[in-house]
Amino acid sequence: MNSASVKQDAGFAANGDPRSQVDASRRRALLAAALGYADKVRGIVAQVLEHGVIVDAKPDRSLVTNADLAAERAFRDAVEADFPSMGIAGEELEPLRPAADFQWVIDPIDGTAEFARSLPTWGSIIGVFYKGSPLVGIIDHPGLDLRVQAAYGLGAFLNGRRLDPGSKAPLAEKERACIGLPARRNFNRVSNDAHVFDALVRAYPDFRVLCTCLTHTYAATGQLDASVEWDAHLWDLAATRVVIEEAGGRYACVRERVGPGGYKLYCAVFGRVDQVDRIAKMVSAHI
Amino acid sequence: MNSASVKQDAGFAANGDPRSQVDASRRRALLAAALGYADKVRGIVAQVLEHGVIVDAKPDRSLVTNADLAAERAFRDAVEADFPSMGIAGEELEPLRPAADFQWVIDPIDGTAEFARSLPTWGSIIGVFYKGSPLVGIIDHPGLDLRVQAAYGLGAFLNGRRLDPGSKAPLAEKERACIGLPARRNFNRVSNDAHVFDALVRAYPDFRVLCTCLTHTYAATGQLDASVEWDAHLWDLAATRVVIEEAGGRYACVRERVGPGGYKLYCAVFGRVDQVDRIAKMVSAHI
């Protein structure tokens, strides 16, 4: 975590789309493997919940628990055994084989603060990238028994039911948009961007602040019209773009830069096409 | 809804506490009846969900559905049959016997906007007041399978498990408070109080905006350290004070006035004693 070099770059700004080089049966197999790992992570977290969660603060004051660590280790062991030539990046441990074409990315518990408070809104995130483009994504919310999953070209699903891309159509004139936002604190973690939050809540006074990954899920299902993520790491967004796009929505990266520790930080907007365009334009004018 | 007179006043500012006049066995019986009505409301809403929700906008642009109306009618019929001399007030229909000592209050679906979007965070609220003081309260979240309930002097319970009043102790020095807030829009519905929201998110940058009644529940369980409600009607807060106080927390009403349609509007803060005191003081300086 101390190097100033970019430790991962399975980013969202690839030129062209290399994903068509990966045939559908391979994408399907990677999705099947990812679903198996998501089940494994669910099981490990449930075990920790049963035996007792231990919460620690990391040097950056964010939280980590014994569940995060146990789940990420088990995920890594499984990927290493099944796909020994592929790269692995995760929130809690150092990247492995960062130059490999295929990259597995995990955030074992996104929303550790909610997890530590027994709020059911946290999620586990798993993504697979190929040459920097997102191929497979899963956001799993065991506390709500919700799971969204997608693979490039194969559609997005909520608990096994295909998400209708039509739900990402523009809002009707009289409809009031409801969007998902991170808390104001998230805009000030790395730089002083709280004015962006203030502008967003003036333009969209009817917003919700849930655990961020749950706002990603709801932007994919259409239950929220769009959501915003701020100075997030790759693992926070590992599943979002492919899930949103396969659900017929738009994903816009409004800022990408190298942050503390040498990891890239992303600001992104995703959801209904019209709302994403409007929000991305507005946010871009403020940064 | 057109009269300028105050249509209900089962408020929170009673002089003295008349509740000890109602003996424990009567409080227990009223709680048992309220739990039966909550079950009935759950069943009716589930039926509507199965057969199709119809959403309409009310004159004030807030939403109402066929589920709200069916649930409130069934609740009223049941109370009328069981307690024909008691008063009834609810969000959707006119008050009955507003001068009676005992008042039943219902918000059949708090968070109709979430309900219409299939977000599981809405709740049904039932309260019983005696001479203006809250005797019994239930907040039921069928989508999350959560129910908090309390009766004066008999404790507060989450899904049948007693809530520990110790969880409302002051936060330790190093702990960061996380509070529940209404969206910024709620501060501007009746008067221009958005500056209060802005002040709150500066003082408490780590907040959540869920459906408001869910933030009441989490303030009672201790999963949030405190929550704020703004220009809410009696039915929005019908269960909150007794649930919070029986769970060992503090409930502070920071503003009470008559709003449009002749109904009282309340601004309140509730949760951990230290946080409520701090927030109430801060908010009071802004209004």
Side-chain angles (χ1 to χ4, degrees), chain A residues 61 113-114 117-120 144 174 176-178 183-185 197-198 201-202 205-211 218 222-225, chain B residues 61 113-114 117-120 144 174 176-178 183-185 197-198 201-202 205-211 218 222-225:
Chain A
R61 290 194 66 199
E114 346 280 305
R117 287 175 180 267
S118 303
L119 295 169
L144 297 169
K174 71 184 182 81
R176 190 167 57 205
C178 184
R184 196 169 188 269
R185 188 177 77 87
F197 172 87
D198 295 337
V201 298
R202 280 168 175 72
D206 197 14
F207 58 90
R208 296 294 179 275
V209 177
L210 313 167
C211 186
Y218 287 148
Q223 290 166 273
L224 292 174
D225 297 309
Chain B
R61 290 194 66 198
E114 347 279 306
R117 288 175 179 266
S118 303
L119 295 170
L144 297 169
K174 71 185 184 80
R176 190 166 55 203
C178 183
R184 196 170 187 271
R185 188 177 78 86
F197 172 87
D198 296 337
V201 298
R202 279 166 176 75
D206 197 16
F207 58 89
R208 297 293 180 275
V209 177
L210 312 167
C211 185
Y218 288 148
Q223 290 166 275
L224 292 174
D225 297 309

Side-chain angles (χ1 to χ4, degrees), chain B residues 246-257:
Chain B
E246 289 295 323
R250 179 158 297 171
Y251 179 100
C253 181
V254 293
R255 187 171 73 193
E256 180 183 329
R257 56 182 179 151

Side-chain angles (χ1 to χ4, degrees), chain B residues 204-240:
Chain B
Y204 286 90
D206 197 16
F207 58 89
R208 297 293 180 275
V209 177
L210 312 167
C211 185
T212 49
C213 66
L214 185 57
T215 68
H216 302 202
T217 296
Y218 288 148
T221 61
Q223 290 166 275
L224 292 174
D225 297 309
S227 293
V228 174
E229 182 66 91
W230 206 258
D231 276 343
H233 288 100
L234 174 67
W235 44 82
D236 299 313
L237 286 162
T240 303

Side-chain angles (χ1 to χ4, degrees), chain B residues 74-93:
Chain B
F75 169 81
R76 282 169 179 255
D77 290 348
V79 174
E80 282 271 59
D82 296 344
F83 304 100
S85 66
M86 296 186 180
I88 308 177
E91 175 160 15
E92 305 304 340
L93 302 164

Side-chain angles (χ1 to χ4, degrees), chain B residues 130-143:
Chain B
Y130 178 68
K131 295 185 177 174
S133 285
L135 208 55
V136 164
I138 297 171
I139 312 177
D140 192 40
H141 305 281

